């Protein structure tokens, strides 16, 4: 599994995931802060990554566009890393 960590999470998340043996990248290393969620979704789908986020918009965008990928993991707790 490859994880794309959304910018709304701390930049320590990718490092934490990599140390756990999971391939992970931080959006700020790929795109720009404040990029549109649709751009992030498209990148994740094209590059076969799962999005890790606290943002509720990604699930809505998937439903609105009738898409089933990429998968989205939503954290509903504080940003503890």
């Amino acid at each position: 599994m490859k994880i794309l960590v959304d910018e709304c999470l701390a930049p320590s998340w990718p490092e934490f995931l990599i140390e756990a043996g999971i391939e992970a990248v931080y959006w700020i290393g790929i795109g720009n802060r404040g990029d549109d969620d649709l751009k992030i979704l498209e990148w994740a789908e094209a590059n076969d990554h799962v999005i890790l986020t606290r943002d509720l918009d990604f699930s809505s965008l998937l439903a609105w566009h009738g898409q089933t990928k990429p998968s989205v993991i939503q954290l509903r707790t504080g940003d503890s890393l």
Side-chain angles (χ1 to χ4, degrees), residues 39-81:
K39 181 177 182 178
I40 296 168
L41 251 176
E42 290 170 348
W43 187 94
E45 180 181 16
N47 292 279
D48 199 30
H49 279 64
V50 173
I51 299 172
L52 178 64
T53 186
R54 285 189 312 203
D55 190 344
L56 298 174
D57 292 347
F58 289 104
S59 296
S60 298
L61 283 170
L62 286 171
W64 180 259
H65 292 278
Q67 293 177 251
T68 57
K69 331 179 13 182
S71 293
V72 176
I73 301 169
Q74 290 178 324
L75 298 179
R76 299 307 305 154
T77 62
D79 190 5
S80 59
L81 289 178

Side-chain angles (χ1 to χ4, degrees), residues 25-37:
V25 293
Y26 193 49
W27 178 252
I28 300 305
I30 297 164
N32 298 305
R33 186 168 301 281
D35 277 341
D36 186 77
D37 288 343

